[in-house]
Amino acid sequence: MGILFWPFMFVSILLAFIALGTNKSKFLVISSILILPLSLYLAATPRFEWWGLIFPFFYLGAAFTLRKNIRWLPVMMISPNIVLTAWIGYSVLNQ
């Protein structure tokens, strides 16, 4: 199961940055699909409960606002996913 989480998290963030750089929202839709396994895992934990399910929607919202040519809002909408990935990475490395 861990084989899916880390590569998918990093690729989803990389695709989000590519989407912001090229103004193509399809990369953000792919990112939302790639972060789905992590989101489902977090939804099964007692700390996140159903809050874990909102992380793919940040990418979808960023894709929608990117299509509307709003530049600052997609950056703000992908930042929770970046912070989440950094926090999980920090927690795993400093157990």
Side-chain angles (χ1 to χ4, degrees), residues 8-29:
F8 281 4
M9 285 190 302
F10 292 133
V11 171
S12 74
I13 291 173
L14 180 67
L15 285 175
F17 284 131
I18 290 171
L20 292 176
T22 61
N23 278 343
K24 296 193 179 195
S25 61
K26 65 181 176 182
F27 291 123
L28 286 168
V29 173

Side-chain angles (χ1 to χ4, degrees), residues 14-73:
L14 180 67
L15 285 175
F17 284 131
I18 290 171
L20 292 176
T22 61
N23 278 343
K24 296 193 179 195
S25 61
K26 65 181 176 182
F27 291 123
L28 286 168
V29 173
I30 295 169
S31 293
S32 70
I33 294 169
L34 290 177
I35 201 130
L36 196 60
L38 172 71
S39 177
L40 293 173
Y41 176 76
L42 289 177
T45 61
R47 179 172 286 192
F48 283 93
E49 294 177 355
W50 61 273
W51 285 100
L53 296 175
I54 65 168
F55 291 106
F57 292 111
F58 284 128
Y59 280 138
L60 292 176
F64 178 73
T65 56
L66 191 63
R67 288 190 59 90
K68 298 288 184 186
N69 288 328
I70 303 170
R71 294 295 298 170
W72 62 273
L73 194 55

